[in-house]
Amino acid sequence: MKALLTRAFLAGVEAAHPGRFLAHDDVRAALHDWMAGAKSRVLVLGAGKASAAMATALEREWASLGGLPLEGLVVTRAGYETKTGSIEIATGGHPHPSSESAEIAARMLKMAKDLTADDLLIGLWSGGGSSLLAAPPETLPFEEFLVLTKSLLTSGADIHEINTTRKHLSRISGGRLAQAAAPASLLNLVIPDVAGGDDSERLSAIASGPCMPDPTTVEDARTVLARYGLDAAAKALSETPKTWAEMGVANHSMIVMENALAIDGAAAVLKEAGFTAASTEVTGEARDAAKAHATCALKLTQQDARAAIVTSGELTVTVEGSGKGGPNQEYALTLALALEGTDGIAALAGDTDGIDGIGEAAGAFVFPDTLERMRKAGIDPEAALDNNDSGTAFAAIGDLLITGPTFTNVNDLRLIVINGLQSPD
């Protein structure tokens, strides 16, 4: 079952690889159309764990079009660099911003300000860009900004609340990069790692929307800070542009890769293995999601059919302990505890970008004997969960999922198979 779950997960990752995004006719058509309008320069700027792979694919396609030479700068996580020609690939901090994140953001703002009405800006954005590209307000010293960011990420705030605050504590997010590029034209190509909402909301959320109008307000951000006891930073909040007219750029923005591709890729492997797969998107606390999914799985064990639950969506963790792990590992440990060793159920929870929180693990596996093996290894699973130490617990039994860099990021992918440890008829 570990081999099957791994194969399904990796199939989902491969189905959403950024190198595939230019295979879509609508994306290629957009490149053709917007290339024709560029009379002077074509500048590529981007951020995220998939952005370097996007840049490589873009250069390959652009060369076949015979347009103006590309130039630009893309920032990604260390280890996620790809080989490019004229587009520079830089690395910044993730999941927490670094001084390099701030330096790169300053460079991008300067590059954007040099554009004219004859120029085209192509934005390549994916999940992870918010920390990789950080430009805190001048009134908020970087070290204070870093402490605030870390506090917000461990507060239990959901991804929408986190992104809302980030956009109002930035000189580059929430449409400000596009505003700096006016009056140039803009083509935004985005790989989202957030679930739910309409396309405009999702486009504005990815990498905290450097080149998208922001539907949230300073008051929204102030409310989030107050909710999690971080009111002191409210004085540094500033308003973001709300419309394209306010930003001053002609634009076209599109989602070029969906997490549905990862879901379908993983589900196809499970279906081929004889499972009936149902899929959905889930957000919220990792523990809450795991308990709900355990309830569903336990009900399905009462049926004869081999079934699978496939979910995506970014989960969060309220960190109160001092252990190691991430949302998917916390989900997996909670799931194991909720299932209490029930026969016939196995699961995998992982992040498609290959990194679950901080560390080298993408996630973790769950089997009927998970808790038994942890206790034999000297691990108290309940205590580990209380200490947010799921990573240590799974490492002790060799059940961490380690993929290395995947070069994409279309959200978490969680797979539960029911009656999978029994032979099919």
Side-chain angles (χ1 to χ4, degrees):
M1 288 311 301
K2 179 178 279 192
L4 174 62
L5 288 167
T6 301
R7 189 165 72 251
F9 181 85
L10 294 179
V13 169
E14 178 59 28
H17 192 279
R20 298 173 177 265
F21 85 96
L22 287 169
H24 300 286
D25 291 340
D26 54 347
V27 181
R28 293 171 61 89
L31 284 178
H32 280 265
D33 292 346
W34 285 78
M35 178 189 69
K39 301 180 178 63
S40 179
R41 297 172 59 201
V42 181
L43 177 67
V44 179
L45 299 176
K49 281 172 275 189
S51 60
M54 293 173 74
T56 297
L58 175 64
E59 283 190 340
R60 184 172 60 246
E61 176 67 14
W62 196 264
S64 71
L65 299 179
L68 292 170
L70 294 176
E71 57 182 297
L73 173 62
V74 165
V75 59
T76 191
R77 192 182 197 272
Y80 287 67
E81 305 97 318
T82 58
K83 186 175 181 180
T84 54
S86 56
I87 300 173
E88 178 186 352
I89 305 297
T91 58
H94 187 275
H96 305 133
S98 63
S99 57
E100 290 80 9
S101 303
E103 292 167 4
I104 293 163
R107 285 181 61 193
M108 285 193 186
L109 283 167
K110 186 177 185 301
M111 295 166 79
K113 289 176 181 177
D114 289 339
L115 296 176
T116 71
D118 291 330
D119 301 329
L120 172 63
L121 171 60
I122 299 179
L124 305 178
W125 312 109
S126 70
S130 298
S131 64
L132 294 165
L133 195 63
E138 294 177 356
T139 58
L140 185 64
F142 183 79
E143 287 305 318
E144 292 183 23
F145 172 75
L146 182 58
V147 170
L148 171 66
T149 300
K150 291 180 178 179
S151 298
L152 192 61
L153 289 173
T154 58
S155 67
D158 64 31
I159 191 60
H160 174 73
E161 292 173 317
I162 292 169
N163 284 337
T164 295
T165 307
R166 281 168 165 167
K167 287 189 280 190
H168 294 279
L169 288 171
S170 174
R171 290 177 289 112
I172 196 169
S173 303
R176 292 183 178 92
L177 181 60
Q179 199 170 40
S185 297
L186 168 66
L187 174 60
N188 266 327
L189 304 176
V190 182
I191 295 179
D193 68 337
V194 296
D198 60 29
D199 283 354
S200 63
E201 291 175 344
R202 297 171 69 206
L203 285 164
S204 70
I206 305 309
S208 295
C211 289
M212 288 293 300
D214 177 27
T216 70
T217 66
V218 162
E219 190 56 38
D220 294 331
R222 185 175 289 113
T223 299
V224 173
L225 291 174
R227 181 174 297 138
Y228 298 101
L230 303 170
D231 310 64
K235 63 181 183 299
L237 296 171
S238 62
E239 196 52 271
T240 49
K242 305 303 173 192
T243 65
W244 288 110
E246 187 179 351
M247 291 159 63
V249 291
N251 78 94
H252 180 64
S253 301
M254 59 193 310
I255 292 172
V256 299
M257 192 73 68
E258 288 278 10
N259 60 1
L261 294 171
I263 290 176
D264 291 345
V269 172
L270 296 176
K271 289 175 182 176
E272 185 178 351
F275 294 92
T276 301
S279 62
T280 187
E281 292 183 343
V282 180
T283 59
E285 278 280 341
R287 297 187 192 192
D288 294 339
K291 291 172 184 176
H293 294 169
T295 298
C296 292
L298 289 169
K299 290 180 180 178
L300 287 169
T301 59
Q302 301 170 13
Q303 303 176 15
D304 293 332
R306 287 155 62 90
I309 301 170
V310 182
T311 64
S312 68
E314 190 161 1
L315 300 177
T316 55
V317 174
T318 301
V319 178
E320 297 176 343
S322 58
K324 298 178 181 179
N328 288 291
Q329 294 161 72
E330 181 129 340
Y331 169 96
L333 185 53
T334 305
L335 184 70
L337 287 164
L339 292 174
E340 298 180 325
T342 301
D343 288 338
I345 302 177
L348 179 158
D351 197 321
T352 57
D353 64 16
I355 299 294
D356 182 34
I358 298 174
E360 64 175 2
F365 296 89
V366 175
F367 300 105
D369 63 349
T370 292
L371 300 181
E372 178 185 355
R373 287 187 292 126
M374 284 181 179
R375 290 172 180 136
K376 286 183 178 180
I379 299 292
D380 180 340
E382 291 87 353
L385 186 62
D386 288 343
N387 194 34
N388 300 116
D389 202 19
S390 54
T392 299
F394 283 108
I397 60 172
D399 277 350
L400 287 174
L401 170 67
I402 310 290
T403 65
T406 63
F407 305 98
T408 192
N409 188 11
V410 290
N411 219 303
D412 301 337
L413 187 58
R414 294 170 293 275
L415 316 173
I416 303 176
V417 292
I418 297 96
N419 297 328
L421 303 180
Q422 302 170 3
S423 299
D425 294 336

